Amino acid sequence: MIVDVLKNIATNRLAMDFAYGDKPSLNLKDGTVNDKYCLWLLPVDNKPQLNEYNRVIANSWDVALFLCIKADMDGGSADENGEDYYNEKWTKNIKPLYDMQAVNKMTMSFTCIESLTLSNFICKEVINLFDENMDGLYITFTIKEDLI
């Protein structure tokens, strides 16, 4: 269920390509479109909460995902360009995610789903992720669904 919710948010709300898989499979992902951001979702952990009758009364999913874009490989390397290399990656690949308010759009998408709440939100910038050299944001959070 949560995978479908996040896929819907990625494709319809954020206009990003969506991929689901573990780190090794995402590392081997081919066909990433240049100049288009992606939402790559890692497998989620569900921690159901049970009542005294062993009935599931809530689900709690730990989510980890990447909002990322394929880096320009013509930009040289850190050895060649020094600090400018990282400044360019920030300016071209990471800052636009903040400018387009991608994180805010993603979190606000959950306000339309009353049964789901977000918590423990952490957002970390990443550079040269995986073999595709993806740059962007690594985001972790918990989604709770009350069933009763």
Side-chain angles (χ1 to χ4, degrees), residues 9 14 18 23 31 35 38 40 45 52 71 82 84 89 91 95-96 107 114 123 130 135 142-143 148:
I9 289 170
L14 301 175
F18 177 84
K23 286 182 182 180
D35 300 325
C38 308
W40 286 2
D45 294 324
E52 65 272 11
D84 289 342
K89 287 185 160 291
T91 303
K95 185 177 181 291
T107 58
E114 292 182 13
C123 186
F130 302 129
D135 297 336
T142 301
I143 302 171
I148 295 181

Side-chain angles (χ1 to χ4, degrees), residues 26 30 53 66 72 87 91 97 101 105-106 112 124 126:
L26 292 174
D30 288 330
Y53 305 109
F66 301 97
D72 180 10
N87 289 334
T91 303
L97 286 166
Q101 297 187 351
K105 286 179 183 176
M106 182 181 67
C112 299
K124 179 181 179 180
V126 292

Side-chain angles (χ1 to χ4, degrees), residues 16-67:
M16 293 183 178
D17 288 337
F18 177 84
Y20 175 74
D22 59 7
K23 286 182 182 180
S25 68
L26 292 174
N27 188 40
L28 298 174
K29 182 165 173 37
D30 288 330
T32 303
V33 177
N34 288 338
D35 300 325
K36 184 167 185 185
Y37 284 94
C38 308
L39 188 153
W40 286 2
L41 177 64
L42 296 171
V44 298
D45 294 324
N46 184 12
K47 296 182 275 187
Q49 181 182 348
L50 305 175
N51 67 9
E52 65 272 11
Y53 305 109
N54 292 326
R55 182 174 177 203
V56 177
I57 58 172
N59 286 306
S60 181
W61 292 279
D62 290 330
V63 175
L65 59 85
F66 301 97
L67 299 181

